[in-house]
Amino acid sequence: MVEEDSEVRTLLYILGALVSDYAGSIRLNLEAAEKLDFIFAKGLLSQSMGGIRPQITTKRTLSIIQGRHTLLDSDTCVPLDFKMDEGVRGVIITGPNTGGKTVAIKTVGLLSVMAQSGLHIPADEGSV
């Protein structure tokens, strides 16, 4: 048992030394793999939610046509259209207490942040 343990330690030491010789290359490969994984994950997310690339502008406008919240089932949720032109500083949403106002506000906020983060948004058309 002692000889076996000693042999295992020797092999681990040798393998550790070999790996440390190539630490720079291994780190570069790991970083490249992380970037590729992130890019493919963004693509799969966009594909799974039927996303589009929104237009990013420097104007203080927001336009979402047929936008859907990412956590709601796209077959049953009602898409929304939302537009704010320059000069509009606020929005008032009224209606009965059925939850649609809250979902609309959260959808607009979520899609705005997604677009600003470089993600596609689940909508037919969008401009942020």
Side-chain angles (χ1 to χ4, degrees):
M1 295 283 284
V2 172
E3 288 179 15
E4 183 180 337
D5 187 50
S6 176
E7 187 67 26
V8 167
R9 288 180 187 272
T10 302
L11 287 173
L12 289 175
Y13 177 78
I14 292 171
L15 289 173
L18 289 173
V19 168
S20 69
D21 290 343
Y22 297 99
S25 298
I26 292 171
R27 186 171 289 115
L28 284 175
N29 286 337
L30 179 63
E31 289 172 3
E34 287 173 350
K35 287 179 184 177
L36 287 173
D37 185 48
F38 180 64
I39 290 168
F40 282 112
K42 283 176 38 174
L44 285 173
L45 174 66
S46 177
Q47 188 178 34
S48 71
M49 65 183 179
I52 56 110
R53 183 182 60 175
Q55 180 184 8
I56 306 296
T57 66
T58 57
K59 299 177 183 173
R60 295 181 60 91
T61 62
L62 176 65
S63 174
I64 298 170
I65 308 299
Q66 297 294 296
R68 299 170 305 281
H69 194 287
T70 58
L71 297 178
L72 298 177
D73 182 18
S74 62
D75 296 332
T76 58
C77 78
V78 177
L80 66 88
D81 292 346
F82 187 86
K83 187 171 185 175
M84 285 181 63
D85 292 323
E86 278 189 283
V88 175
R89 297 178 56 104
V91 176
I92 297 174
I93 302 176
T94 64
N97 295 330
T98 57
K101 299 179 295 294
T102 303
V103 172
I105 292 168
K106 289 181 178 184
T107 300
V108 170
L110 176 64
L111 298 186
S112 297
V113 170
M114 287 176 66
Q116 292 174 29
S117 299
L119 295 171
H120 287 180
I121 60 172
D124 289 349
E125 189 178 322
S127 172
V128 178

